[in-house]
Amino acid sequence: MLFNSYHFLIFFPLVVLMFYIVPRKWRTIWLLAASYYFYMGWNPKYAAIILLCTVVTWLGGRWMSAVSENGRAGRPYQKLILLVCCAVTLGILCFFKYARFIWDSVAALAGGLQMTMGEMPLRIVLPVGISFYTFQALSYVIDVYRNRVPVQKSFLKYALFVSFFPQLVAGPIERSDHLLAQVEQIEEMRFQTRRIVNGLIYMQYGFFLKLVLADNLAVYVDHIFERYFFYGSVELFLAAVGFAFQIYCDFSSYSAIAIGAAMVMGFELMENFHAPYFASSIQEFWRRWHISLSSWFRDYVYIPLGGSHCSKRKYYWNLFLTFLVSGLWHGANWTFILWGAIHGLYQIIGGMLRPLKARLYPWLGIKMDSVSYHMGQILSTFLLTTFAWIFFRADSVRTAFLYIYNLFTKWNFWVLTDGSLKNTGFYNGVEWMVVLSGLIVLMCVDFILHKRNIRIDAFLEAQGNFFRMLVVGLLFLSTLIFGNYGGYEANAFIYFQF
């Protein structure tokens, strides 16, 4: 079930109404049933996969708790249980997500050696959200092994933690010490008008980002990327920048709707985006972008590899490998792996240049605390991330390199004034004005978040009822009038494919 579908407009109010009506002891069962119904909206068979991951990791946690009574003698058994849980969970993820990729890669290599492998014998369909809920389940069993969280004895509450419908399909990837702890208190949650109103406002902002910005930007971006060989530098540059904002609005909109929906029912989900395009370095960008996943890789991949507490060479290797794995997580395609490698190289080159800049900038008279320097850092970081997004969006590595070649060789600045941009996906100037106006709203909201560390729902609450009603009304009307609803089919969120 999609957030931006008519089905959800009926489903969500009903779930919330029943959540506050049913006896409190039945809340866990009700939300669990609603979550599985929500997930089975794509394919009922998918429920078996998420149930298997849930059972394996829950039993793993219980068994580790049981053998912990033996003290140090039980530690090897705990490690064995952890390895089994990780092998099963990651095995499920790898089978559904990477089997086709591995087969095709080996087949391509065999073809280069004048050998043939034929077609893959199995038809594998990737279950939506599998990368998210498997990582969430893994974090629990790893934290139990590390003695960071107590073992969850209730299977129903743990199953709700893994399958909680607002963030099930595209995050945020929650930790057990945060979300599972709230599930434990589900019977104590009260109906609070202020929290519900703020949650609905944040959901409305999410719908605005998705329907008005992301889906309208997709019209232009898809048109140019699918026909990049017809266009010059200006159109290709605008499409690359457009995709940078499209994927941000698309993904952050899902997080906003998920956080708002959870807030309506009394749950608090972690922040997933914090004005990432105001970051002044690639390192800072990754502290602001997809925060739940970045912190997951930091805690469960980067730090176990040794983190920064090692030699400089090992430190750079840990960084590069973590981003390489992050790229692979995003998709079974060499484009995603190369995208992750590029960000890893950004981090390594940035670290290498840091001492040089510290000596060179004072000599050149560059004031690192000036507004102009800070704006330059933000702009350069945005351009670097936009360049990397080309590989993320392209269908193949070859397409990405051809796109970049045309971007830097086919200069055609005259299209900025001759009106030909109207024929590049948008049917008239209205769509351009809608997108530009929406981007101004986005930048204003993100600027407030960046400077004052306050979200739009809390900011509007502080301005008074009249101003809040005016802004929410305008967001609602603009979504209703200018939203791109995809005809009879709602446009899926980009990250559903991951």
Side-chain angles (χ1 to χ4, degrees):
M1 186 187 307
L2 295 170
F3 282 160
N4 53 325
S5 66
Y6 296 115
H7 193 180
F8 184 76
L9 293 180
I10 300 172
F11 167 82
F12 181 67
L14 178 62
V15 170
V16 173
L17 179 64
M18 294 302 296
F19 177 79
Y20 287 111
I21 289 179
V22 300
R24 293 178 182 178
K25 64 181 180 179
W26 295 103
R27 283 179 173 178
T28 300
I29 296 176
W30 170 248
L31 277 189
L32 181 60
S35 296
Y36 268 79
Y37 176 80
F38 176 87
Y39 189 69
M40 291 167 67
W42 284 280
N43 189 332
K45 296 178 182 178
Y46 293 163
I49 302 171
I50 190 173
L51 181 60
L52 177 59
C53 291
T54 302
V55 170
V56 168
T57 51
W58 179 74
L59 288 177
R62 293 299 303 270
W63 286 337
M64 279 192 282
S65 176
V67 300
S68 67
E69 298 176 0
N70 295 326
R72 289 190 175 182
R75 197 61 176 169
Y77 295 103
Q78 285 185 312
K79 189 171 186 178
L80 178 61
I81 294 169
L82 174 64
L83 290 175
V84 171
C85 290
C86 290
V88 173
T89 307
L90 290 176
I92 293 171
L93 174 62
C94 291
F95 174 76
F96 283 98
K97 191 166 185 175
Y98 304 109
R100 165 64 68 177
F101 171 66
I102 295 172
W103 182 278
D104 290 344
S105 298
V106 174
L109 180 61
L113 300 174
Q114 306 302 315
M115 301 169 59
T116 58
M117 288 181 56
E119 289 294 324
M120 187 174 181
L122 297 175
R123 182 179 179 272
I124 301 174
V125 178
L126 180 66
V128 292
I130 190 171
S131 298
F132 290 89
Y133 64 72
T134 51
F135 269 34
Q136 188 155 307
L138 276 176
S139 69
Y140 163 78
V141 75
I142 295 173
D143 286 346
V144 169
Y145 172 78
R146 293 175 174 178
N147 295 318
R148 291 184 176 178
V149 297
V151 67
Q152 175 54 245
K153 296 181 179 180
S154 170
F155 176 75
L156 293 179
K157 289 186 176 180
Y158 177 72
L160 177 58
F161 158 73
V162 176
S163 63
F164 186 49
F165 78 86
Q167 47 85 226
L168 170 62
V169 177
I173 303 173
E174 281 291 340
R175 306 294 182 84
S176 53
D177 61 348
H178 186 233
L179 180 57
L180 190 52
Q182 296 178 68
V183 173
E184 286 279 6
Q185 304 297 321
I186 192 171
E187 296 178 9
E188 308 301 323
M189 293 178 179
R190 300 286 191 273
F191 183 95
Q192 295 181 3
T193 304
R194 172 179 171 272
R195 185 194 65 235
I196 292 174
V197 169
N198 284 347
L200 292 174
I201 289 175
Y202 205 45
M203 289 180 71
Q204 173 57 57
Y205 180 63
F207 284 118
F208 171 81
L209 291 180
K210 170 62 177 172
L211 296 170
V212 177
L213 270 176
D215 289 350
N216 276 308
L217 279 167
V219 175
Y220 176 77
V221 171
D222 292 346
H223 180 89
I224 299 298
F225 268 88
E226 291 169 4
R227 303 166 180 83
Y228 68 92
F229 37 81
F230 288 135
Y231 295 105
S233 298
V234 172
E235 295 96 337
L236 298 178
F237 176 76
L238 289 176
V241 172
F243 180 70
F245 282 105
Q246 179 199 350
I247 193 170
Y248 173 42
C249 292
D250 194 284
F251 195 14
S252 64
S253 68
Y254 189 95
S255 293
I257 297 170
I259 292 170
M263 192 188 308
V264 170
M265 293 180 288
F267 294 89
E268 178 186 347
L269 300 182
M270 70 177 296
E271 182 182 19
N272 214 18
F273 293 89
H274 193 91
Y277 289 147
F278 280 99
S280 56
S281 68
I282 295 296
Q283 189 176 29
E284 184 184 354
F285 171 82
W286 280 104
R287 291 197 296 266
R288 295 168 173 265
W289 176 275
H290 203 345
I291 299 169
S292 63
L293 180 66
S294 301
S295 60
W296 198 99
F297 276 110
R298 179 197 65 205
D299 295 341
Y300 301 110
V301 177
Y302 173 69
I303 292 178
L305 286 173
S308 59
H309 300 290
C310 52
S311 66
K312 186 72 73 173
R313 179 179 297 179
K314 184 68 164 57
Y315 162 63
Y316 287 146
W317 170 248
N318 294 340
L319 267 178
F320 184 77
L321 184 59
T322 300
F323 277 97
L324 206 63
V325 174
S326 173
L328 183 62
W329 176 91
H330 279 83
N333 195 315
W334 288 106
T335 54
F336 297 116
I337 296 174
L338 190 53
W339 170 78
I342 290 171
H343 272 279
L345 290 174
Y346 282 163
Q347 298 269 15
I348 293 171
I349 295 172
M352 290 180 172
L353 293 179
R354 199 170 293 119
L356 177 63
K357 291 192 294 185
R359 294 193 299 269
L360 186 62
Y361 283 2
W363 182 74
L364 294 174
I366 298 175
K367 295 183 178 180
M368 300 176 66
D369 58 347
S370 64
V371 174
S372 59
Y373 175 81
H374 187 63
M375 291 177 63
Q377 290 293 100
I378 292 175
L379 178 60
S380 61
T381 300
F382 175 75
L383 292 176
L384 287 173
T385 56
T386 298
F387 176 81
W389 283 130
I390 294 174
F391 291 89
F392 196 96
R393 174 60 180 78
D395 296 330
S396 66
V397 174
R398 181 178 181 273
T399 298
F401 279 114
L402 288 174
Y403 188 101
I404 293 169
Y405 176 79
N406 290 344
L407 174 64
F408 289 103
T409 58
K410 296 177 66 174
W411 306 107
N412 61 337
F413 296 111
W414 57 85
V415 301
L416 293 171
T417 57
D418 66 5
S420 59
L421 284 177
K422 294 181 180 179
N423 301 319
T424 54
F426 287 146
Y427 301 112
N428 53 57
V430 175
E431 285 86 351
W432 282 105
M433 293 305 300
V434 169
V435 167
L436 289 176
S437 300
L439 288 175
I440 292 173
V441 173
L442 171 67
M443 288 295 98
C444 290
V445 172
D446 273 13
F447 183 76
I448 294 171
L449 180 63
H450 171 63
K451 297 299 292 185
R452 297 182 56 185
N453 195 30
I454 182 172
R455 272 190 344 217
I456 183 173
D457 55 312
F459 173 78
L460 291 177
E461 182 183 22
Q463 306 309 307
N465 290 333
F466 177 78
F467 183 78
R468 179 165 63 166
M469 291 174 61
L470 177 63
V471 172
V472 173
L474 290 174
L475 286 175
F476 177 77
L477 287 176
S478 61
T479 304
L480 196 63
I481 297 171
F482 301 113
N484 188 330
Y485 297 94
Y488 293 101
E489 296 291 335
N491 294 322
F493 291 81
I494 292 176
Y495 263 68
F496 278 17
Q497 64 184 296
F498 309 134

